[in-house]
Amino acid sequence: MGFKANALGHSFIDARLLEQALTHRSAGRCNNERLEFLGDALLNLIVAEFVFEQYPRASEGEMTRARASLVNGAALAELAREARIGEHLVLGPGELKTGGFRRDSILADTFEALVAAVYLDAGWETCRTLVRRLYSERVLAAQGKVSKDAKTLLQELLQANSLPLPDYQLTASHGDDHDKVFEVDCHVEALALTSNGRGSSRRAAEQTAAAAVLEQARAAISAGRKSRKS
């Protein structure tokens, strides 16, 4: 394996764990899916602890949003790219042909698997130290991401103007199980507004749709106020 300690800062005692963590399910039965499951739980716990320490005045909702911004697929894929994980992935012929080593979902899953592999290889403290080191700058930079998300802002805007809450409808989902794309409509009946959002999860698609409707709703409500004054 060419993937060495300089990428994550950990030298594996058990090289088989490293190999498994870098092996996508398309390449065979001994792949990283089980490690991915464990790594997801480890990352959520370690990052949650880190956020809790760094933001002593943040509310539960603010900490939840900060953690989500740090462990979502895009953030994990970015970490994987920085460690050049894609260059060392073991992929099946189909994924190789379609550029799986560049795909966010595969990179994010592999990063989670590697975190689990470090934990199994060297224990909790080593894993925790490694994750906190990788996230040290990111957790501090997440301060601007603890603000309210688009769905929350839209809900509060409508409630403040005595309008019914928006309705979210899943309109489509397509792609392979490991690389699905979801499409969601956000509809605000009282303002006759509808927008479509896409994302790698239903929640992400809802946020995208809400963000688009939010700007339209603000404009419509502002225009309504002006017309009533005139």
Side-chain angles (χ1 to χ4, degrees):
M1 278 279 167
F3 187 73
K4 299 296 184 183
N6 59 349
L8 287 180
H10 176 71
S11 295
F12 278 85
I13 299 168
D14 186 349
R16 292 172 300 178
L17 280 170
L18 173 59
E19 183 175 1
Q20 184 180 354
L22 292 169
T23 302
H24 186 254
R25 66 179 180 179
S26 63
R29 291 182 61 186
C30 186
N31 56 58
N32 62 13
E33 282 191 314
R34 283 175 55 82
L35 290 174
E36 173 198 336
F37 167 81
L38 179 58
D40 175 69
L42 289 164
L43 274 169
N44 272 279
L45 174 58
I46 297 169
V47 172
E49 177 194 48
F50 207 173
V51 168
F52 182 84
E53 291 176 1
Q54 292 297 318
Y55 299 101
R57 297 182 181 275
S59 67
E60 178 187 2
E62 289 171 336
M63 289 189 294
T64 298
R65 286 188 289 275
R67 181 187 61 184
S69 74
L70 291 163
V71 298
N72 64 28
L76 298 182
E78 182 181 345
L79 282 161
R81 288 192 176 93
E82 288 179 6
R84 306 182 71 166
I85 288 171
E87 299 174 16
H88 306 283
L89 285 171
V90 181
L91 302 169
E95 289 293 353
L96 276 172
K97 191 176 296 184
T98 57
F101 57 91
R102 291 190 298 265
R103 190 169 299 139
D104 275 12
S105 59
I106 291 179
L107 289 170
D109 291 348
T110 305
F111 184 83
E112 290 176 336
L114 282 164
V115 168
V118 170
Y119 168 73
L120 295 174
D121 189 61
W124 166 253
E125 284 301 329
T126 297
C127 179
R128 178 175 176 271
T129 299
L130 180 145
V131 171
R132 288 172 71 99
R133 175 175 53 77
L134 292 174
Y135 270 98
S136 59
E137 293 183 6
R138 284 174 166 81
V139 168
L140 295 175
Q143 186 168 8
K145 297 179 181 178
V146 299
S147 58
K148 295 173 182 176
D149 58 53
K151 285 183 67 175
T152 302
L153 289 171
L154 178 59
Q155 177 177 315
E156 290 181 350
L157 175 68
L158 297 175
Q159 287 176 327
N161 289 275
S162 302
L163 297 171
L165 296 180
D167 178 48
Y168 296 92
Q169 294 290 332
L170 179 67
T171 58
S173 63
H174 44 84
D176 297 332
D177 287 343
H178 64 279
D179 195 32
K180 270 192 179 300
V181 174
F182 295 83
E183 296 188 27
V184 169
D185 278 348
C186 174
H187 182 56
V188 180
E189 186 175 1
L191 299 175
L193 297 175
T194 300
S195 185
N196 180 264
R198 299 177 53 154
S200 57
S201 68
R202 180 168 179 167
R203 182 179 298 179
E206 288 177 352
Q207 289 289 353
T208 303
V213 168
L214 177 61
E215 296 307 313
Q216 299 175 54
R218 284 171 172 161
I221 290 170
S222 177
R225 287 172 181 162
K226 289 178 181 177
S227 66
R228 286 194 295 272
K229 288 179 180 179
S230 60

